[in-house]
Amino acid sequence: MKRIYLDYAATTPADPAVVDEMVPYFTNVFGNPSSIHGCGQEAGGAVAEARTKVAKLLGCEDEEIVFTSGGTESDNSAIEGIAYASEAKGNHIVTSSIEHHAVLETCAFLERRGFKVTYLPVDKDGLVNPDDLKNAITKKTILISIMHANNEIGTIEPLAEISKIAREYDIPVHTDAVQTAGHIPFTVDELGVSLLSMSAHKLYGPKGVGALYVRKGTKLVPFMHGGAQERERRASTENVPAIVGFGKAAEMAAATMQQEAAQETALRDRLIAGLMKNIEKTKLNGHPTKRLPNNVNLSVEFIEGEAMCLTLDLAGICSSTGSACSSGSAEPSHVLRAIGLPHQQAYGSLRFSLGKWTTEADVDYVIKTLPPIVARLRAMSPLVNR
Ligand code: PLP
C-alpha cells in the first residue's frame, strides 16, 4: 500500500543529500573534535562548518550556536540555565499555556524547586496577548519563554512584540522555534530573542541533534557537566555525523524554504477548503492566517480524533491527533483546552502537517478519503443527535 505521510510536524525524513553528507563521518572522518591530531581536527573542521551553516540560517554569529541532542535539550538547557544563573535577580518565569511539554515540564520541575511560573492564557486562535505579558512581569521576572509557533495548531506568536516588551524590562526572551526554523524565514534579531531552540529532525536532518542559540553576553549555567566542548556550554563528545547532517539540512533549508513555504501554503489551503466543504460541522483550529505554512488542524464534531487517525492509517494516510490519549486518559491536549474548545470539538481534532514532498495528489486523496470515514464513524457515534 502506498503511504501518504502527513505528519511532518512530528518528524521529517532525512533528505538523501543530508544522509550522503553524513556517511563519511561515521567511518573515514571519525576523530574526536577535541583531539589535537589530524583525525580530530578534520572532524572539528566539519563541526565548525556545520555551525556556520546553522548560524547563517538564524542570522547569528557562529559562536552563538550550541549543538545539543535536540529540541527538548535546547528547551531544558535554556530555561534551567537562565533560572540557575539568575537566582540573585529573581525567581519568576513567564511562559504560555500552549508550550511544548519540553518547556512546560521544565517549568513544572523548577516550580517544585521554588521558582514561580506564570502561564499566560491564549485567545481562541492560540495567540498570546502582549498586554497579558506586560501585566505578568514583576521585579523578579528573569525569563520569558514563548514558542515561535505551536506544534499542534500552527499559530505563529507575535515574538517581535513580545521581545519589545521584554527589552523595556531587560528580561531575556527564549523561544522554542522547533516548528519554524528552516520552515519560515526569520532571524534572531527580527524576533529579538536571546535564546532560541531548534531541532534537526524537523527540517529534513537527522534525529537526536539540535541547537540552542545563545545571544552573546547571555549568562547560562551549563546543563551538562563534563568536558569543555561547545565553549564549556555543553559537555560531551560532539555527535559529528549528526551535526554535519544538521548543517547540510540548515544550508538546504536556507536556500529553499521560501519556495517550499509557498508550495505548502497552497496545498494547506486546498486541504482545508476541500475538507471543510465536504465534511459538515468541521472547524479549523489555530489562527486562520498567522499559521505555519504546513499545518492543518481540524475539529470534526461527534467523533474522536483517534478513530479518524487510525482509520486513515488503514487507508495509508499518516496523520496525528491533538487530543492524544496514549495514556488512555482520553483527555484532550492542553493546547485544545487552552483555546477553549468545547468537548465535542476537542475530542474530534485531527492534524495534518505537510512537507516538501507533499503533492497535490496526496492532498486530493485525503479530501476524497476522509469524508466517507467521517460519515461511517458518525453513523456509529452516540454523540450525534438523531
Ligand atoms: N518543541 C516543539 C515545539 C516540538 O514540536 C518538539 C518536537 O515534537 C520539541 C520541542 C522536541 O524536539 P526534539 O524531538 O528534538 O527533542
Side-chain angles (χ1 to χ4, degrees):
M1 179 174 54
K2 182 179 178 245
R3 269 191 195 283
I4 295 177
Y5 185 77
L6 292 174
D7 201 13
Y8 283 84
T11 194
T12 60
D15 193 292
V18 165
V19 179
D20 286 349
E21 194 97 349
M22 289 171 68
V23 169
Y25 293 90
F26 288 102
T27 50
N28 299 346
V29 192
F30 60 86
N32 184 327
S34 298
S35 301
I36 57 171
H37 50 62
C39 277
Q41 292 307 296
E42 209 179 335
V47 170
E49 228 175 89
R51 197 184 306 281
T52 302
K53 291 171 182 171
V54 173
K56 207 163 170 200
L57 179 66
L58 299 181
C60 68
E61 306 279 324
D62 291 11
E63 55 270 27
E64 293 175 312
I65 294 294
V66 179
F67 286 118
T68 65
S69 64
T72 300
E73 186 189 320
S74 298
D75 286 342
N76 276 253
S77 57
I79 298 168
E80 276 193 45
I82 288 281
Y84 291 127
S86 317
E87 279 179 295
K89 183 186 171 210
N91 66 348
H92 178 232
I93 296 167
V94 182
T95 187
S96 85
S97 50
I98 60 164
E99 297 296 312
H100 189 271
H101 287 295
V103 167
L104 291 179
E105 291 302 321
T106 306
C107 288
F109 172 83
L110 289 171
E111 278 185 289
R112 293 193 291 275
R113 275 147 193 84
F115 288 87
K116 305 270 177 255
V117 181
T118 301
Y119 298 89
L120 297 178
V122 292
D123 70 9
K124 65 173 187 16
D125 294 326
L127 282 175
V128 166
N129 182 341
D131 287 337
D132 289 340
L133 170 65
K134 238 183 226 177
N135 294 332
I137 290 171
T138 72
K139 282 199 172 63
K140 296 209 153 184
T141 307
I142 50 172
L143 177 69
I144 295 163
S145 179
I146 306 284
M147 70 200 317
H148 192 196
N150 183 267
N151 46 302
E152 285 187 38
I153 57 173
T155 300
I156 299 172
E157 300 296 338
L159 250 295
E161 230 179 304
I162 286 165
S163 297
K164 193 161 165 250
I165 294 167
R167 254 195 313 278
E168 288 168 25
Y169 298 87
D170 201 19
I171 301 166
V173 174
H174 163 250
T175 194
D176 176 333
V178 166
Q179 293 291 340
T180 54
H183 290 276
I184 56 175
F186 66 84
T187 66
V188 287
D189 284 345
E190 282 162 10
L191 298 188
V193 295
S194 294
L195 299 136
L196 180 144
S197 302
M198 59 186 295
S199 178
H201 75 98
K202 309 286 188 180
L203 52 117
Y204 309 98
K207 293 171 181 59
V209 64
L212 179 64
Y213 156 75
V214 184
R215 190 175 286 275
K216 230 181 257 170
T218 308
K219 293 254 174 318
L220 285 187
V221 168
F223 187 63
M224 306 264 282
H225 306 283
Q229 289 92 350
E230 298 295 288
R231 296 171 172 251
E232 300 188 358
R233 293 170 300 184
R234 203 271 185 181
S236 183
T237 302
E238 296 85 346
N239 183 351
V240 179
I243 289 171
V244 166
F246 184 16
K248 178 68 179 173
E251 182 184 45
M252 290 173 73
T256 57
M257 77 178 136
Q258 217 137 6
Q259 181 239 317
E260 282 162 16
Q263 182 185 312
E264 286 169 10
T265 302
L267 291 175
R268 174 197 76 184
D269 293 346
R270 184 182 181 94
L271 183 56
I272 293 171
L275 292 178
M276 303 230 354
K277 179 168 160 247
N278 293 315
I279 308 172
E280 275 185 356
K281 298 218 180 278
T282 301
K283 175 190 176 296
L284 177 68
N285 296 318
H287 197 280
T289 54
K290 292 174 190 162
R291 77 183 296 131
L292 289 169
N294 70 339
N295 175 286
V296 176
N297 186 312
L298 295 173
S299 278
V300 181
E301 284 190 34
F302 310 126
I303 52 178
E304 290 194 349
E306 282 73 24
M308 281 186 282
C309 191
L310 291 171
T311 319
L312 281 169
D313 191 36
L314 296 175
I317 299 167
C318 299
S319 63
S320 142
T321 158
S323 56
C325 57
S326 48
S327 62
S329 67
E331 273 301 305
S333 82
H334 63 289
V335 177
L336 300 178
R337 285 201 304 269
I339 60 172
L341 281 194
H343 250 222
Q344 75 271 21
Q345 288 178 348
Y347 283 102
S349 111
L350 190 63
R351 181 188 73 183
F352 298 105
S353 44
L354 287 54
K356 64 178 175 180
W357 290 304
T358 304
T359 64
E360 203 170 278
D362 294 340
V363 163
D364 289 347
Y365 181 66
V366 177
I367 294 171
K368 189 178 90 185
T369 308
L370 186 56
I373 288 175
V374 170
R376 216 163 352 117
L377 293 171
R378 276 183 177 164
M380 293 188 286
S381 169
L383 303 171
V384 179
N385 299 319
R386 291 180 224 280

